[in-house]
Amino acid sequence: MNYKKVFLKIMIGIVGIFALYFGIHTYANGQLVKTYAKGFEQNPLGDYAKNESDMVLTVYKAPLFQTYTNLSVLARGSDH
């Protein structure tokens, strides 16, 4: 068995899976931002925000690799 060919096939598989994940993630995130960021202004950091009813609403782009342990919702009203 030629280990170089096996290693090459495994590396091509890993790169292919990463490219597929990256393509799907980029397309899905672009569609979500396009849908939810209507009427929002883009700030210098690349996020979308607007003031509405004494609250700041913000739409963030998703990170490349998702983590589900530190999700939070931030609403700033007039009493904060």
Side-chain angles (χ1 to χ4, degrees):
M1 179 175 245
N2 190 348
Y3 291 107
K4 289 182 181 179
K5 287 184 180 180
V6 171
F7 179 74
L8 184 61
K9 288 180 183 179
I10 290 172
M11 291 307 295
I12 289 172
I14 290 172
V15 169
I17 289 171
F18 178 75
L20 180 66
Y21 172 81
F22 183 75
I24 291 171
H25 174 79
T26 302
Y27 174 76
N29 190 41
Q31 294 298 317
L32 287 172
V33 168
K34 191 183 304 181
T35 300
Y36 291 112
K38 289 180 182 174
F40 286 62
E41 294 179 17
Q42 189 171 12
N43 64 19
L45 297 174
D47 302 323
Y48 297 87
K50 73 176 179 179
N51 293 327
E52 188 172 299
S53 303
D54 291 334
M55 291 178 31
V56 177
L57 304 174
T58 309
V59 176
Y60 297 101
K61 293 180 183 176
L64 182 58
F65 293 103
Q66 299 292 324
T67 60
Y68 298 103
T69 58
N70 59 353
L71 296 176
S72 64
V73 176
L74 176 64
R76 288 183 257 171
S78 60
D79 59 341
H80 293 284

